[in-house]
Amino acid sequence: MIRIVARSFLVALLIGAASGVAQSGFKEGAAAIDRGDYASAFKEWQPLAEQGHVIAQYNLGQLFRAGRGVAQDNVLAAYWYRRAAERDFALAQFNLGVMYHNGDGVIQDMGEAVYWYLQAAENGHSDAQFHLGILYFNGVNQQPNQVLGAMWLEVAAKNGAGQALETLEAAREQMAADQIETASIWPMNAPKGSSWGARLTGPADPRVVYFG
């Protein structure tokens, strides 16, 4: 068995281009972040998030997760991640998967963790691909599937996920030669431009602000 601990993730706000009527409010929130005024950023982004602005929803999740500008609250962080994740936003999908994996703000549920990791992995998120590979390899709520696990580990390694290559090598030591070959077929034959072809970092060239 390959052991995994869901890694804590850097909290990163996405400060990218917003569109339409919501643009000014989003930019004002971004300006507040530049000043270190997280409370004002929250006030600007909350109504946008309520209106369905997916990056604002993700950012509220990040603020609640880190306790910046608001009281730290994993339950509300998970709520806002879910709002963005349900709109196919990979960063939120991955973070929600981590929260289910660890039982932070939600009841620990490995089935839900795998579900959200899979959504993010299929959207090209390499850390989700890495987590998913180990969970499939070890077996989660099902029999272990070493071939599927190694496949996702190879995809993650190709996309630069930390520790993915060394983990893949450790996995292969536990596999038969035909299993290794089968696991390599899909990543090698993946069409150019497919979802795992590049590490996903967010929507069109956002400026990413890390804190906490």
Side-chain angles (χ1 to χ4, degrees), residues 24-191:
S24 61
F26 192 87
K27 287 186 173 180
E28 288 168 4
I33 293 296
D34 284 339
R35 301 192 303 271
D37 186 353
Y38 297 100
S40 292
F42 176 81
K43 290 178 182 177
E44 293 291 344
W45 289 339
Q46 183 179 27
L48 302 182
E50 295 285 3
Q51 295 165 21
H53 191 296
V54 69
I55 302 178
Q57 291 170 341
Y58 171 79
N59 283 351
L60 289 196
Q62 298 292 71
L63 291 175
F64 278 115
R65 185 78 168 98
R68 293 297 181 93
V70 293
Q72 200 282 333
D73 191 324
N74 283 339
V75 173
L76 285 173
Y79 169 80
W80 285 110
Y81 288 149
R82 182 181 298 277
R83 290 280 299 269
E86 288 174 346
R87 298 186 60 199
D88 209 32
F89 196 68
L91 294 172
Q93 291 168 336
F94 171 68
N95 285 1
L96 186 57
V98 171
M99 298 193 84
Y100 272 110
H101 195 151
N102 292 330
D104 292 334
V106 294
I107 297 172
Q108 187 176 36
D109 186 327
M110 298 308 294
E112 283 288 312
V114 168
Y115 174 81
W116 288 111
Y117 285 151
L118 180 60
Q119 305 312 302
E122 291 181 341
N123 280 325
H125 194 294
S126 61
D127 284 336
Q129 293 161 353
F130 173 70
H131 283 64
L132 191 63
I134 294 180
L135 292 177
Y136 277 134
F137 193 92
N138 289 339
V140 178
N141 299 329
Q142 59 186 9
Q143 290 297 313
N145 188 327
Q146 292 184 332
V147 170
L148 189 57
M151 182 208 75
W152 278 113
L153 288 173
E154 184 167 346
V155 170
K158 288 179 182 294
N159 287 335
Q163 300 181 321
L165 182 57
E166 60 195 78
T167 304
L168 176 62
E169 292 172 351
R172 285 173 171 168
E173 292 177 359
Q174 305 176 43
M175 299 170 65
D178 61 329
Q179 290 179 308
I180 295 172
E181 182 179 2
T182 300
S184 297
I185 290 174
W186 185 25
M188 285 193 304
N189 294 330

